[in-house]
Amino acid sequence: MRSRSAPGLLAGYVPGASWLHRAPLWAKFVGVVAAGSASFVLLDWRASVIALATVVAAWLSAGLGVRRLAASWRLVVPLAVVLFAFQWWQQGPATATRIVANLLLCFVAAGLLTATVPLRDLLDGVAGLARPFRRFGADPERFALAIAIMMRSIPVLAGSFAEVGDAARARGLERSVRARTIPVVLSAVAYARRTGDALAARGLADD
């Protein structure tokens, strides 16, 4: 089965000259790390909502558009709704709001990074961050390659999940866990094998 891509899951680079496009890469990395730390730092739901509103405002001010933001949330919102309902049941509405807002905060921050930095520049920056670890045996170029493969894999696998869901609904099997998961697993394994074969053909899978 050939999976359709889902480019909206993480925004691809959008050319522009906004303040966010012009911001240095290190500042954007710091912003993403700060967003990732939000779940440990922001313990009040109101602070989490304000932080989420701030990154959404940054998205809009960078000229990335509401439609692109909505497309990127298409596959995340169902997960967020389920998570919100479960956390509300377990710990109440305040905790549920904080957890979901922090999750969306991380997601939008990562989207801002990929939307305002060309992929080549992003990978060069990742390799530069990894260079101090070369003394411990790390390979910065391979680390950047792993990030590139991960970013490519996310929309492919998300597209496979959406395609399988459409096929299951067409057969009246939308409630069948088996019909919705097994084809995705097989597609993921096949994609991983193709990726591994491609790397091996270029001599990149050697020790």
Side-chain angles (χ1 to χ4, degrees):
M1 178 177 58
R2 186 175 180 178
S3 297
R4 71 189 183 193
S5 61
L9 187 63
L10 275 180
Y13 176 63
V14 181
S18 70
W19 66 273
L20 198 54
H21 284 83
R22 298 193 303 270
L25 182 57
W26 66 264
K28 297 176 186 180
F29 274 132
V30 170
V32 172
V33 171
S37 304
S39 58
F40 304 101
V41 176
L42 301 179
L43 302 179
D44 187 296
W45 69 270
R46 287 161 293 203
S48 298
V49 170
I50 291 173
L52 175 59
T54 300
V55 295
V56 170
W59 178 287
L60 297 177
S61 68
L64 300 178
V66 175
R67 291 183 63 182
R68 182 176 292 269
L69 180 62
S72 70
W73 282 23
R74 183 171 60 90
L75 294 176
V76 177
V77 167
L79 172 63
V81 170
V82 172
L83 179 62
F84 182 82
F86 177 77
Q87 292 296 332
W88 183 311
W89 175 51
Q90 290 288 315
Q91 304 186 58
T95 300
T97 301
R98 175 177 61 83
I99 291 175
V100 171
N102 287 340
L103 171 66
L104 295 177
L105 169 64
C106 296
F107 185 77
V108 177
L112 280 174
L113 178 65
T114 58
T116 59
V117 180
L119 182 58
R120 181 178 296 276
D121 294 345
L122 181 59
L123 296 180
D124 287 344
V126 169
L129 289 175
R131 276 193 193 99
F133 299 97
R134 192 190 292 274
R135 69 186 68 180
F136 302 110
D139 187 335
E141 285 69 30
R142 291 201 177 196
F143 183 68
L145 177 63
I147 297 296
I149 292 173
M150 179 193 71
M151 293 183 66
R152 171 59 183 156
S153 300
I154 289 174
V156 170
L157 297 179
S160 175
F161 183 83
E163 187 178 66
V164 169
D166 292 343
R169 282 191 293 272
R171 299 195 305 270
L173 299 174
E174 63 272 12
R175 296 186 179 181
S176 172
V177 175
R178 181 175 181 178
R180 294 178 67 93
T181 57
I182 292 180
V184 174
V185 172
L186 295 177
S187 177
V189 171
Y191 177 76
R193 289 176 63 92
R194 292 195 302 270
T195 302
D197 292 343
L199 293 175
R202 291 165 175 77
L204 297 174
D206 299 333
D207 183 62

